[in-house]
Amino acid sequence: MGRRHRDALFPPAAVERLARHVDIDPQLVVEDAGGFDRIADLASVELLVTSWGCPPLDAAALARMPALKAVVHAAGSVKHHVTEACWDRGLRVSTAAAANAVPVAEYTLAAVLFANKRVLEIGGLYREHRTALDWSAHFPGFGNYRRTIGIVGASMVGRRMLELLRAFDFDVLVADPHLDPAEARTLGARPVDLDELLALCDVVSLHAPALPETHHLLDTRRLALMRDGATLVNTGRGSLVDTAALTAELRSGRLHAVLDVTEPEVLPADSPLYALPNVLLTPHIAGSLGGELLRITGSALEEVERYCAGREFAHPVSRAALSVSA
């Protein structure tokens, strides 16, 4: 992992907890592919603890670690470093994606609630006029009661969102080709196809993985299906949305957006999305940051302890599941 991530994720108390179960040199950090070559003794390594910045675990790296049996990832997606060679070796892989999903869902829920309440626009008008206006006249029908919310992708974050939304007076729809309709209803949502969801929802929240088949999932045609005044929330992947098509809709004023991820990331300095009053841009902050990182640490430590006790991982990653997930 990157050294700065080691410092943030594994403070002394966490290292001490690790050391109760495994032999570890807390100063030994591999943050580039050449790092494996600079370590004299890798032959006995049985377990890797990884995080953001881990170099690919390709065939060459694995050849240096003939005893390696498992990888515990103290972050979300393992796609950046777990290669086909890892699956061919039969490595067990765990991820803290479930822990990282919590703050993303919290951010997204706040975005949904603020979007329906028109907090961004009202805050701007209040700042500009510095007096109370007739907000209902400016935003007829605004508020959160009986609004229709659409979740695109029953990923870990999508499922966490469905759980959180059940506490509110919302009608919730979900679109995911891999989700069984009966399970969708168990999660508290009505399953529909994506086009229907876009046409019916006041807020559409994206939680699909970045895959070839989801590239520009929301293109010109699909964005045009969204209701006038609807809000698009993207805390998933920037590539899910055609940025040019979305920019055109937002510049017209027909739609609103809360975007924590974009394509490209970061947007060019001259992008109109920075200045549009119906857009909230944040710099990929929905995931775990600051004190939230310790939730990921706790998840990874628990997985190490489970491994050392001869138990199955609580959050395993499989080769098959990875092909349709983030």
Side-chain angles (χ1 to χ4, degrees), residues 1-2 5-6 9-10 18 29-30 36 47-57 65 68 70-78 80-82 86 93-96 296-297 300 304:
M1 65 189 71
H5 299 306
R6 189 281 311 269
L9 285 162
F10 293 96
L18 261 180
V29 181
V30 175
F36 293 117
L47 173 69
L48 286 181
V49 178
T50 64
S51 187
W52 296 288
C54 179
L57 301 176
M65 296 176 279
L68 184 65
V71 177
V72 170
H73 190 50
S77 176
V78 301
H80 303 293
H81 65 294
V82 172
C86 295
V93 180
S94 167
T95 176
I296 286 178
T297 303
V304 170

Side-chain angles (χ1 to χ4, degrees), residues 90-282:
L91 297 185
R92 295 168 58 188
V93 180
S94 167
T95 176
N100 192 49
V102 174
V104 180
E106 291 171 347
Y107 173 108
T108 308
L109 176 64
V112 169
L113 296 174
F114 270 33
N116 285 328
K117 202 73 173 178
R118 293 299 181 224
V119 169
L120 179 62
E121 297 92 328
I122 291 174
L125 288 170
Y126 193 32
R127 186 185 306 109
E128 178 184 353
H129 295 280
R130 305 191 182 194
T131 187
L133 302 176
D134 186 348
W135 304 120
S136 294
H138 279 80
F139 305 98
F142 79 123
N144 281 293
Y145 183 66
R146 294 268 67 97
R147 305 307 287 268
T148 303
I149 313 301
I151 300 298
V152 179
S155 60
M156 285 187 181
V157 179
R159 288 166 183 263
R160 179 69 174 172
M161 273 297 296
L162 291 172
E163 179 183 342
L164 295 175
L165 290 171
R166 294 174 74 170
F168 299 88
D169 295 312
F170 289 136
D171 296 317
V172 182
L173 309 181
V174 62
D176 187 323
H178 304 286
L179 181 64
D180 180 76
E183 185 181 7
R185 288 186 281 272
T186 299
L187 292 169
R190 179 163 68 90
V192 296
D193 66 35
L194 179 56
D195 285 5
E196 183 179 1
L197 181 148
L198 294 170
L200 293 176
C201 288
D202 299 293
V203 180
V204 174
S205 188
L206 301 182
H207 304 289
L211 302 170
E213 55 267 35
T214 63
H215 182 73
H216 289 185
L217 187 66
L218 268 59
D219 54 12
T220 299
R221 182 188 72 81
R222 281 197 164 127
L223 289 168
L225 296 175
M226 293 182 66
R227 305 168 70 165
D228 290 353
T231 299
L232 176 67
V233 180
N234 191 3
T235 56
R237 293 290 184 266
S239 63
L240 299 175
V241 184
D242 181 335
T243 300
L246 178 61
T247 300
E249 288 281 13
L250 294 170
R251 293 184 78 170
S252 76
R254 196 181 73 81
L255 299 179
H256 306 261
V258 179
L259 306 173
D260 188 53
V261 291
T262 56
E263 183 188 51
E265 192 172 284
V266 175
L267 288 171
D270 60 354
S271 170
L273 297 184
Y274 287 111
L276 289 175
N278 52 334
V279 178
L280 173 62
L281 277 178
T282 55

Side-chain angles (χ1 to χ4, degrees), residues 272-317:
L273 297 184
Y274 287 111
L276 289 175
N278 52 334
V279 178
L280 173 62
L281 277 178
T282 55
H284 207 146
I285 61 168
S288 299
L289 293 171
E292 295 166 338
L293 291 170
L294 296 181
R295 182 188 287 112
I296 286 178
T297 303
S299 175
L301 290 172
E302 289 170 6
E303 293 289 66
V304 170
E305 290 165 352
R306 292 175 72 91
Y307 176 81
C308 292
R311 300 164 62 196
E312 294 297 319
F313 285 138
H315 305 288
V317 181

Side-chain angles (χ1 to χ4, degrees), residues 10-33:
F10 293 96
V15 173
E16 180 181 344
R17 181 175 166 186
L18 261 180
R20 290 200 294 268
H21 301 278
V22 298
D23 295 325
I24 183 174
D25 178 355
Q27 302 307 314
L28 189 59
V29 181
V30 175
E31 51 187 338
D32 59 70

